Amino acid sequence: MSDKKLGGAGLRGQSAGQTALCTVGKGSGLTYRGYDVRELAEGATFEEVAYLLLKGDLPTKAELAAYTEKLKGMRDLPDALKAVLEQIPADAHPMDVMRTGASMLGNLETEQSFDEQQEATDRLLAVLPGIITYWYRYSHDGVRIDTATDDDSIGAHFLHLLRDEKPNSLHEKVMHASLILYAEHEFNASTFTARVCASTLSDIHSCVTGAIGSLRGPLHGGANEAAMAMIEQWNSPDEAERELKGMLERKEKVMGFGHAIYRVSDPRNEIIKAWSKKLADEVGDTVLYPVSERVEQVMWDEKKLFPNADFYHASAYHFMGIPTKLFTPIFVMSRVTGWCAHVFEQRANNRIIRPSADYTGPEERPFTPIDQRG
Ligand SMILES: CC(=O)SCCNC(=O)CCNC(=O)[C@H](O)C(C)(C)COP(=O)(O)OP(=O)(O)OC[C@H]1O[C@@H](n2cnc3c(N)ncnc32)[C@H](O)[C@@H]1OP(=O)(O)O
Ligand SMILES: O=C([O-])CC(=O)C(=O)O
């Protein structure tokens, strides 16, 4: 991967616009508005990072307290949204639930002008954990939960709604780090979707709904779930190595590895990997974490491919008892900050995004009416 070519298909290597939000380093390295993501994940809360991305600077203590209180006060779901969530079957894809939830909110609380973009974003940030857990608990456990908890952080609020009890401090810390790591990543596929939508001067709920659709796929956010499905099949590192080598021989994609931009490592990996190890120790795991490490080793030895942000998120979330199908929705709860910050940026200096295509179809030819065709 060290000679990774940033060119060719998929618009790779082409600049598609400007941003002041994030650098995805050449090689490795990631900053949000100039701050190294490693420092943010180590020392900040997710709410601080949301504030940084959406408003431009880190908050003061007073600003953070006010922002946290504001978000806490916006967690109730409208009755009409709950009614829609109750219609969605238990076997629905949870990313489809997120997409429908964001879209329905746009019907009920439509952004009437761009002056409302910050309010609409804060509301989305506050309700997305409630949307997924309300549907999940109703469709799986038959209970109608109250989505207005008093947890200070969005991560603790989500775990509380999911499990009916406040999380311990380790789990709350992991959620802060995880949500920070997932918050923003320049012109990735889902963010670019949001920006394309914003460039038509559409509303913010449409931008976020479209972005959720792009994040759903296994080549993007869905990779954390796909990685979990892979590693949980294996009962030992040796079995993992054997099966993985078979996958590579069959030229199968290994989810949670590789990256469109990074060449040698994803800087988010070392952080979530360390949290995954702590959680493995907490639950006394002797299989999943060693299997994950062996997969990492084999992927490097065989293909020079490294784990991206998604790979160790799989085991970390699993150790916290989060059902696999809710992994990618957590990514949404976080990335909504990056998406909306990009929508603000696009709107502030907009030109409709409309690239050209190289035509590869047939030469011009005469039309034959249907009654003259066989
Ligand atoms: C938070 C995130 O969204 S991170 C990304 C999450 N996605 C995944 O983990 C899915 C698995 N990974 C992939 O599919 C790819 O690495 C992507 C989509 C992330 C990047 O795609 P690209 O930029 O096209 O990959 P890249 O140009 O580096 O591919 C080089 C070669 O490595 C192969 N390769 C890349 N990733 C993988 C992988 N995970 N497993 C097996 N082979 C891979 C490619 O098939 C390609 O081989 P080829 O030259 O024979 O066609
Ligand atoms: O940047 C990308 O292509 C994918 C990614 O890692 C992200 O969106 O976090």
Side-chain angles (χ1 to χ4, degrees), residues 78-126:
D79 287 343
L81 176 51
K82 290 184 195 164
V84 165
L85 294 171
E86 289 181 16
Q87 300 303 308
I88 304 178
D91 63 357
H93 194 302
M95 287 295 278
D96 297 346
V97 179
M98 294 300 259
R99 197 187 59 213
T100 298
S103 180
M104 184 63 188
L105 193 70
N107 286 284
L108 300 171
E109 300 175 11
T110 311
E111 187 196 29
Q112 303 289 354
S113 91
F114 294 171
D115 295 342
E116 296 173 7
Q117 64 185 13
Q118 183 66 55
E119 279 303 298
T121 299
D122 290 345
R123 177 75 164 137
L124 277 161
L125 196 49

Side-chain angles (χ1 to χ4, degrees), residues 1 4-6 9 12 182 185 188 215 217-224 248 251-262 266 268 299 303 305 308-311 331 335:
M1 291 291 287
K4 183 168 168 55
K5 193 168 154 262
L6 289 180
R12 197 75 76 259
Y182 271 150
H185 218 240
N188 62 85
L215 189 67
L219 296 190
H220 192 10
N224 55 16
L248 294 176
K251 303 243 172 285
E252 288 174 30
K253 273 259 161 95
V254 180
M255 298 308 173
F257 283 83
H259 200 271
I261 304 296
Y262 296 124
D266 181 330
R268 299 166 295 184
M299 287 302 284
K303 298 278 290 182
L305 283 168
N308 58 47
D310 280 328
F311 186 65
F331 200 154
R335 185 58 61 89

Side-chain angles (χ1 to χ4, degrees), residues 43-331:
T45 62
F46 172 59
E47 287 69 20
E48 278 173 83
V49 171
Y51 190 103
L52 169 71
L53 290 170
L54 293 166
K55 295 171 190 271
D57 279 307
L58 286 168
T60 62
K61 276 188 197 145
E63 285 166 342
L64 179 62
Y67 192 52
T68 304
E69 278 311 303
K70 180 183 182 201
L71 294 176
K72 277 169 71 176
M74 299 175 103
R75 286 175 177 165
D76 255 336
L77 302 187
D79 287 343
L81 176 51
K82 290 184 195 164
V84 165
L85 294 171
E86 289 181 16
Q87 300 303 308
I88 304 178
D91 63 357
H93 194 302
M95 287 295 278
D96 297 346
V97 179
M98 294 300 259
R99 197 187 59 213
T100 298
S103 180
M104 184 63 188
L105 193 70
N107 286 284
L108 300 171
E109 300 175 11
T110 311
E111 187 196 29
Q112 303 289 354
S113 91
F114 294 171
D115 295 342
E116 296 173 7
Q117 64 185 13
Q118 183 66 55
E119 279 303 298
T121 299
D122 290 345
R123 177 75 164 137
L124 277 161
L125 196 49
V127 295
L128 285 169
I131 287 175
I132 194 64
T133 47
Y134 187 88
W135 163 77
Y136 184 81
R137 299 291 312 281
Y138 182 79
S139 62
H140 290 65
D141 305 334
V143 291
R144 290 188 167 96
I145 57 167
D146 177 1
T147 58
T149 74
D150 64 352
D151 299 281
D152 284 334
S153 72
I154 289 170
H157 168 62
F158 165 72
L159 291 177
H160 190 167
L161 293 178
L162 182 64
R163 309 154 163 178
D164 253 349
E165 61 180 14
K166 284 183 182 290
N168 65 28
S169 72
L170 173 63
H171 291 193
E172 183 166 17
K173 278 190 196 140
V174 177
M175 287 305 293
H176 274 299
S178 166
L179 295 174
I180 289 170
L181 295 178
Y182 271 150
E184 162 56 8
H185 218 240
E186 201 218 36
F187 278 18
N188 62 85
S190 57
T191 301
F192 197 58
T193 303
R195 282 194 83 127
V196 170
C197 188
S199 82
T200 71
L201 302 183
S202 189
D203 68 292
I204 201 149
H205 297 92
S206 295
C207 299
V208 168
T209 303
I212 293 171
S214 289
L215 189 67
R216 182 189 195 282
L219 296 190
H220 192 10
N224 55 16
E225 295 180 16
M228 186 66 219
M230 179 182 73
I231 56 180
E232 73 184 348
Q233 309 170 83
W234 300 327
N235 295 311
S236 70
D238 287 348
E239 183 187 352
E241 177 160 354
R242 212 171 39 246
E243 296 296 322
L244 181 61
K245 284 182 171 165
M247 286 176 70
L248 294 176
E249 266 165 37
R250 295 189 298 276
K251 303 243 172 285
E252 288 174 30
K253 273 259 161 95
V254 180
M255 298 308 173
F257 283 83
H259 200 271
I261 304 296
Y262 296 124
R263 295 158 194 234
V264 289
S265 69
D266 181 330
R268 299 166 295 184
N269 174 58
E270 62 182 82
I271 305 165
I272 195 61
K273 181 178 175 183
W275 283 116
S276 176
K277 174 78 178 91
K278 280 203 176 69
L279 290 163
D281 292 344
E282 187 199 35
V283 299
D285 166 77
T286 55
V287 178
L288 204 60
Y289 189 82
V291 159
S292 302
E293 281 203 302
R294 183 68 69 87
V295 170
E296 178 179 1
Q297 188 62 52
V298 173
M299 287 302 284
W300 185 256
D301 292 346
E302 299 286 319
K303 298 278 290 182
K304 294 288 169 280
L305 283 168
F306 52 85
N308 58 47
D310 280 328
F311 186 65
Y312 281 97
H313 261 106
S315 49
Y317 287 165
H318 182 81
F319 294 142
M320 291 195 289
I322 300 171
T324 304
K325 64 204 284 194
L326 299 189
F327 289 4
T328 318
I330 303 175
F331 200 154

